[in-house]
Amino acid sequence: MRLEDTLGKILIVDFGSQFTQLIARKIRELGVYCEITSHKSIEKHKNFDKNIKGIVLSGGPLNVYENKKVKFNNNLLKLEIPVLGICFGHQIISKVMGGKVKSSKFREFGQAEVTEIKKSKLTKNFFSNKKNNVWMSHADQVTKLPKNFNIIAKSENSKMCIIENKRKKLFGIQFHPEVSHTNKGKIILRNFIFSICNLNRNWSSSDQKKKLINEVRSVVGNSKVICALSGGVDSSVVAKLLSNAIGKKLICIFVNTGLLRKGEEKQVVNTFKKRFKINLIYVNAENLFLSNLKNISDPEKKRKIIGNLFIKVFEKYAKKIKKVKFLAQGTLYPDLIESKSVTGSQTSKIKSHHNVGGLPKKMNLKLVEPLKYLFKDEVRKLGLELGLTKEIISRHPFPGPGLAIRIPGNISKQKIKILKEADNYFIKSLKDNNLYDKIWQAYAALLPVKTVGVMGDNRTYEYICLLRAITSEDGMTADFFQFNKTFMQSVSNQIINNIRGINRVVYDITSKPPSTIELE
Ligand code: XMP
């Protein structure tokens, strides 16, 4: 029996909201096991798992008056367990229980103020002086209260913003308690889980570790799995997780593109091959990558060449391993969100991201993506739980195309050598000054411009080194980090005094947008 089959849990019914995973994440953060299921897969269900102690109905892009599109399973409201409907979930509860929902004259998107009308277990400690700021995203609203329901709170454009049927323990909220823009939103989820569903804490990162290991084992069986190990946080956690789950049936391939940070290849081999005894094939493809990138200055061309070459090299070595059925990837939940939009529209392409996405089809491999429902901070916790060091776990993100996109214009062995050194001085200084963990990502880049300098009474004519350090939540937006003068001066001196080839250091003070984090 699976561990999670023994636990009291919250069932989250997904109606296609972009925030469904956030609900799950918040519930897990509160230490309670939950599962997400698509509303379609339980359309006709009658018998539900006895361990379900509460249900959350998510938001979604549909509307409740188009019956054909939503076949809501009314049984969900008859199980005599608490149900919390959020946004669309609120509207569907209202409709099924006899209320009315209409397209609203005024749409509410973004911040809104809600006012408490009646006390409820759900909103205990949520309001201050009967008010709170919440985040709304809706075009429809409940216009007639279902029978036996009370209004708990209202907003300017939503008179029935929070409603409850106390006896049946049915609750509806028009706003989104799961997003960080809703002040104290987590309190609502906490009240629902602990005071209304009467669940106890039953979930932690060590439980998650066991769950994922069991899942990998049951999916993979006796087959072999290959994994492209880059040394970054995500692929490192995937490799360690799989190694714990299936041991020597995991074979990692690490391709040294020659575009890695200083000492990275040694560190990866030492950690994974020597320390963790993981099957690791080390491929030194430095010359191959550099020769293919010769005289290439266009950023997109560089990215394509590196991406394609990586797949070619990986494939060559992977094909030598017999009986491989699976490819493990460190896909995270944000990767899924970014690639999928609720409206189905394509976001415009800024950069061709480097991944091994083309491989599974080409090689007839199935994908194993054990982290695909996790957020970065959860992956980090899991990594620590698996025994990876804090140094690996707290590493700044590093792009697939590596240093190539930190050297605008043509790339050469000499430029890479110079850049590796500069980057190393910068990162080491950040660590020595306890700044590394305060920064989301930092790196040095080598600009393809030479300028004149003077050192020891002599003229120099050398490259410019650009330093970039940003704070961010998820890499989608970013702000530059404010260093003090002493720190900047010290880094600049170290770089210029120790590295031949750089005579000027500049700091990038743009945020994202309008710039991107990487230079190319
Ligand atoms: P940008 O430059 O798009 O970067 O603002 C956002 C984040 O993505 C990283 N990045 C990549 N990561 N493959 C990756 O795995 C890539 O091709 C790639 N390009 C950019 C970048 O370092 C930053 O963290």
Side-chain angles (χ1 to χ4, degrees), residues 303 351-354 397 399-401 440-441 475 512 516-518:
R303 280 179 170 271
K351 298 175 186 184
S352 313
H353 270 222
H354 165 99
W440 200 80
Q441 190 170 8
K512 172 184 177 176
T516 53
I517 296 173
E518 302 292 343

Side-chain angles (χ1 to χ4, degrees), residues 451-464:
T451 63
V452 174
V454 52
M455 284 170 93
D457 295 333
N458 284 320
R459 179 188 192 267
T460 56
Y461 187 56
E462 294 175 337
Y463 291 114
I464 300 177

Side-chain angles (χ1 to χ4, degrees), residues 12 65 73 92 99 134 170 181 190 221 281 291 319 337 341-342 355-356 367 385 387 389 431 465 470 477 489 518:
I12 302 168
Y65 33 83
N73 185 342
I92 199 99
V134 301
L170 302 179
H181 309 288
R190 181 182 291 144
I281 299 172
S291 60
K319 270 188 174 159
I337 310 179
S341 120
V342 231
N355 60 38
V356 280
L367 272 182
E385 200 62 51
T389 57
K431 289 185 176 165
C465 169
I470 52 111
T477 56
Q489 208 162 32
E518 302 292 343

Side-chain angles (χ1 to χ4, degrees), residues 467 483-493 505-507:
L467 304 179
F483 292 111
N484 66 35
K485 187 181 170 195
T486 320
F487 176 82
M488 301 214 86
Q489 208 162 32
S490 149
V491 176
S492 166
N493 285 346
V505 176
V506 296
Y507 186 53

